[in-house]
Amino acid sequence: MIHVGCIMDGNGRWAKRRHLPRTEGHTEGEENLARLVRVAVKRNVGWLTVFGFSTENWVRPRTEVRHILGLHKKLFGRVAELNELNVRIQWMGRPFDSRDARTPRYVQRAIRKAIADTASNTGMVLTVAFDYGSHAEMVHAAQVAAAGGPLDQASIDRNLYLPELPRVDVMVRTSGELRISNFMLWQSAGAEVYFTERPWPEFDADELDAALALVRE
Ligand code: IPE
Ligand code: IPE
Ligand code: MG
């Protein structure tokens, strides 16, 4: 089963080119994720993990952050669609009870509900990284691992936010940026990388197929 990671970048630029506010780009980006989930299911992708909001993104303007929070509530509210597609949704990020976690309670509630309401689905696993940073995750994993015994690769693996996530086969980044930006650094050590000029709202089935071809050829 293939694990695809997506750094969903370029929503702001997509909107700017259309003389729209950045928030419209995020709205379209969320719609595109819903479309892409359908395509990924058809392509028999096992695991789709997307970067929704990073630990670094909180410095953005308040109105933009609030809009993105609302979109995550909407995304985690798509339970009927996910159930129709037999997709199980997960979340990863700074644990809600940790000191530096920033996910507001109304988003936490939507996340918890979506996870519970799709828990018995057996098809693709969609993981949304929100308030996620790879450095925070690795520090967390190392602290828990070191407290419990020897610190080695296996003990770090066991203490990542979602230890059951398999390693990433192909990492996608949209919008022409050639960076990984603190996303699944540990999990993508051996991944192929697919960079595209297309902004996230335009990342379509052909683009996914091009990324999958790096793994399947
Ligand atoms: C990605 O799009 C979405 C998030 C980081 C939340 P951007 O908002 O980074 O779009 P650009 O990079 O400014 O075009
Ligand atoms: C990466 O995009 C984070 C997400 C897609 C959530 P950014 O636009 O925040 O990344 P940088 O700052 O350009 O590297
Ligand atoms: Mg960006």
Side-chain angles (χ1 to χ4, degrees), residues 8-14 22 26 51-53 57 60 64 68 175 177:
M8 308 187 289
D9 197 17
N11 293 345
R13 278 163 284 177
W14 179 90
R22 292 178 57 82
H26 295 308
F51 206 2
F53 198 77
N57 286 148
R60 292 190 179 205
E64 184 178 349
I68 294 171
S175 211
E177 240 54 81

Side-chain angles (χ1 to χ4, degrees), residues 4-22:
V4 181
C6 288
I7 302 167
M8 308 187 289
D9 197 17
N11 293 345
R13 278 163 284 177
W14 179 90
K16 194 170 177 214
R17 278 210 298 275
R18 284 164 179 74
H19 308 286
L20 296 168
R22 292 178 57 82

Side-chain angles (χ1 to χ4, degrees), residues 19 47 58 62 65 118 129 149 167:
H19 308 286
W47 307 77
W58 293 104
R62 280 234 315 267
V65 170
T118 66
R167 61 195 167 77

Side-chain angles (χ1 to χ4, degrees), residues 22-96:
R22 292 178 57 82
T23 48
E24 289 296 310
H26 295 308
T27 300
E28 191 53 33
E30 195 273 340
E31 293 285 342
N32 194 50
L33 175 58
R35 288 192 290 270
L36 192 75
V37 166
R38 282 182 187 275
V39 179
V41 166
K42 281 205 192 99
R43 299 298 190 268
N44 216 18
V45 168
W47 307 77
L48 178 65
T49 305
V50 298
F51 206 2
F53 198 77
S54 74
T55 50
E56 287 74 35
N57 286 148
W58 293 104
V59 300
R60 292 190 179 205
R62 280 234 315 267
T63 50
E64 184 178 349
V65 170
R66 205 175 303 133
H67 186 83
I68 294 171
L69 287 170
L71 287 171
H72 279 78
K73 185 167 177 249
K74 182 177 179 197
L75 172 63
F76 282 96
R78 291 179 181 268
V79 165
E81 267 171 85
L82 297 170
N83 284 339
E84 175 214 323
L85 295 165
N86 194 25
V87 169
R88 181 159 67 86
I89 197 166
Q90 306 195 106
W91 159 82
M92 68 173 177
R94 290 187 286 202
F96 297 152

